[in-house]
């Protein structure tokens, strides 16, 4: 007897929300039953493009009596936690775009509600699915690299006036709704770091605002140094001030038995691998980046996330990124940003 399809609704009909909807509709085990956005001018386009009912809010979707198995939250950052709570309270599982919330306390509220309702929260951290990341996880997990000495993460992207557009309804660049550069642009890479090497301590950070004074309410660049609780030292250098297009996202690891560097614009290429008594395997090609027209984002691996949700709910697998890991990423970013209260470089 075939298993019933997993039903989904998507909240937030921007680029990523529409991508979620498209990939749900591409999956033979999934069914899209509704979409919601406060921008009602999108209604005709959404109903025509996705052939699904449109609602002007998550509240109106739930008030209609619709109870999908899963609600995908693809709205501005500050709405992720309250909308996850609403969806869980209604008895739905949740797929939450990054970041899970803007504070650890809000993440804890979501986790508490998910446990209370016996529902799952899947956090979107699609960089875990890229072949170089999967390979790197195996290297670290199996101890092939030996002790970790130093880890350097560089995130150098372009986010200019084409991205931070001022105007009604725009949330990007606002402190209260965006949260900061590490939350919106680079939480993927904080996640990869935590996934590979665990938690950090002894954080020191400096923040800069080179050319975004009229675009955002927060820094455009920063340097962060820390120690890993499991041993070894690390640093993150990040900037959205790169002219015209993204430069790179990279991770360099210096370890007891060798060195590795993964680079490219989206941490999608193995640039260096020299490890004692080890021959690197041929890796499958990485997915292309999400293309937003004037700017590009991380690798387009969202189809893996939808597959993982379905596999988990059908009892064939477990969640790739669970809510506790989502909380840890938010907590690490929150602890980095606490350094702002102590000093500001410019």
């Amino acid at each position: 007897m075939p298993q019933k399809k997993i039903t989904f609704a998507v909240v937030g009909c921007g680029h990523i929300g529409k991508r979620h909807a498209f990939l749900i509709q591409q999956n033979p085990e999934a069914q899209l039953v509704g979409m919601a956005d406060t921008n009602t001018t999108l209604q005709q386009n959404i109903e025509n493009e996705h052939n699904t009912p449109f609602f002007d809010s998550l509240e109106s979707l739930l008030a209609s009596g619709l109870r999908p198995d899963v609600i995908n939250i693809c709205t501005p950052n500050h709405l992720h936690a309250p909308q996850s709570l609403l969806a869980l309270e209604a008895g739905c599982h949740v797929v939450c775009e990054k970041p899970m919330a803007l504070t650890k306390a809000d993440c804890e509220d979501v986790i508490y509600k998910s446990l209370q309702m016996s529902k799952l929260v899947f956090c979107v951290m699609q960089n875990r699915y890229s072949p170089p990341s999967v390979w790197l996880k195996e290297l670290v997990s199996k101890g092939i690299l030996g002790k970790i000495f130093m880890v350097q993460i560089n995130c150098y992207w372009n986010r200019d006036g084409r991205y931070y557009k001022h105007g009604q309804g725009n949330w990007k660049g606002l402190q209260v709704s965006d949260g900061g550069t590490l939350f919106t642009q680079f939480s993927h890479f904080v996640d990869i770091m935590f996934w590979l090497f665990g938690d950090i301590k002894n954080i020191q950070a400096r923040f800069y605002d080179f050319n975004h004074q009229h675009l955002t309410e927060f820094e455009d660049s920063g340097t962060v140094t820390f120690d890993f609780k499991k041993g070894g030292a690390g640093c993150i250098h990040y900037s959205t001030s790169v002219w015209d297009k993204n430069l790179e996202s990279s991770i360099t690891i210096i370890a007891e038995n060798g060195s590795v560097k993964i680079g490219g614009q989206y941490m999608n290429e193995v640039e260096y691998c020299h490890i004692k008594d080890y021959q690197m395997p041929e890796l499958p090609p990485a997915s292309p980046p999400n293309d937003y027209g004037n700017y590009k984002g991380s690798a387009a691996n969202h189809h893996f996330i939808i597959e993982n949700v379905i596999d988990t709910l059908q009892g064939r697998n477990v969640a790739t990124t669970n809510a506790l890991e989502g909380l840890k990423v938010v907590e690490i970013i929150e602890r980095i940003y606490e350094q702002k209260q102590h000093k500001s470089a410019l």
Side-chain angles (χ1 to χ4, degrees):
M1 181 177 169
Q3 290 179 295
K4 79 173 189 73
K5 290 188 176 186
I6 304 294
T7 55
F8 289 80
V10 175
V11 184
C13 298
H15 180 91
I16 287 294
K18 287 196 282 189
R19 179 148 186 80
H20 278 246
F22 173 76
L23 293 169
I24 289 163
Q25 292 183 307
Q26 291 294 299
N27 193 302
E29 293 186 84
Q31 182 183 357
L32 182 68
V33 295
M35 295 181 73
D37 198 294
T38 54
N39 182 358
T40 54
T41 62
L42 298 172
Q43 179 167 357
Q44 190 170 2
N45 174 266
I46 291 296
E47 289 181 342
N48 290 341
E49 191 175 339
H50 295 284
N51 192 30
T52 194
F54 177 91
F55 301 88
D56 62 7
S57 66
L58 171 57
E59 289 85 347
S60 61
L61 183 150
L62 295 172
S64 75
L66 200 59
R67 286 296 181 274
D69 298 313
V70 186
I71 292 179
N72 293 37
I73 309 294
C74 307
T75 49
N77 295 353
H78 68 297
L79 298 175
H80 290 179
Q83 290 182 334
S84 293
L85 289 170
L86 270 177
L88 291 166
E89 187 68 51
C92 306
H93 301 287
V94 168
V95 173
C96 185
E97 266 293 341
K98 56 80 188 168
M100 181 179 167
L102 292 177
T103 66
K104 179 187 176 185
D106 282 349
C107 292
E108 288 172 337
D109 288 345
V110 171
I111 291 172
Y112 178 78
K113 181 59 68 175
S114 73
L115 292 170
Q116 189 181 48
M117 301 301 294
S118 298
K119 295 297 172 183
L120 296 174
V121 176
F122 300 82
C123 298
V124 174
M125 287 296 178
Q126 72 263 28
N127 281 25
R128 291 190 184 196
Y129 295 95
S130 73
S133 297
V134 174
W135 168 69
L136 206 50
K137 177 68 171 174
E138 186 181 349
L139 280 184
V140 175
S141 299
K142 291 185 175 178
I144 293 167
L145 286 167
K147 291 179 184 174
I148 302 299
F149 295 156
M150 296 194 76
V151 176
Q152 177 178 336
I153 296 171
N154 290 334
C155 300
Y156 299 134
W157 281 12
N158 162 264
R159 290 290 183 266
D160 52 25
R162 294 170 293 183
Y163 178 85
Y164 291 112
K165 294 174 183 172
H166 291 296
Q168 188 177 9
N170 191 49
W171 58 275
K172 293 168 182 165
L174 303 177
Q175 184 68 55
V176 69
S177 53
D178 185 315
T181 303
L182 286 174
F183 278 117
T184 306
Q185 309 305 329
F186 302 129
S187 58
H188 295 299
F189 306 109
V190 175
D191 173 68
I192 290 292
M193 180 191 76
F194 172 71
W195 185 51
L196 292 172
F197 308 110
D199 207 350
I200 62 175
K201 61 182 181 179
N202 303 330
I203 299 168
Q204 292 188 303
R206 291 174 71 84
F207 306 96
Y208 305 85
D209 199 11
F210 292 119
N211 62 357
H212 283 197
Q213 292 92 339
H214 304 297
L215 293 176
T216 70
E217 295 177 352
F218 41 74
E219 88 291 351
D220 55 38
S221 308
T223 63
V224 189
T225 62
F226 45 84
D227 298 320
F228 291 105
K229 289 185 176 180
K230 293 178 181 176
C235 62
I236 299 173
H237 302 279
Y238 68 93
S239 180
T240 50
S241 296
V242 178
W243 179 73
D244 195 46
K245 65 179 183 180
N246 291 358
L247 171 59
E248 73 165 7
S249 310
S250 67
I251 180 167
T252 303
I253 303 165
I254 311 298
E256 180 183 17
N257 297 332
S259 304
V260 176
K261 181 178 181 181
I262 294 178
Q265 281 193 60
Y266 316 100
M267 225 182 260
N268 54 345
E269 302 166 10
V270 180
E271 295 186 354
Y272 186 86
C273 174
H274 186 54
I275 303 170
K276 179 182 176 183
D277 301 327
Y278 180 80
Q279 184 67 43
M280 185 185 156
E282 182 90 17
L283 299 183
S287 298
N290 280 304
D291 192 336
Y292 304 97
N294 289 322
Y295 61 93
K296 289 182 170 61
S298 294
N301 288 327
H302 282 80
H303 58 291
F304 292 121
I305 292 150
I306 303 302
E307 285 171 16
N308 179 244
V309 172
I310 292 167
D311 286 346
T312 302
L313 297 184
Q314 300 282 30
R316 299 190 295 254
N317 204 341
V318 294
T320 311
T321 312
N322 62 48
L324 187 59
E325 292 172 305
L327 174 146
K328 286 302 296 184
V329 171
V330 170
E331 185 205 322
I332 288 170
I333 294 173
E334 205 173 24
R335 281 157 55 206
I336 290 170
Y337 277 151
E338 280 173 8
Q339 299 290 309
K340 280 187 179 181
Q341 296 160 16
H342 307 305
K343 54 184 177 290
S344 182
L346 287 180

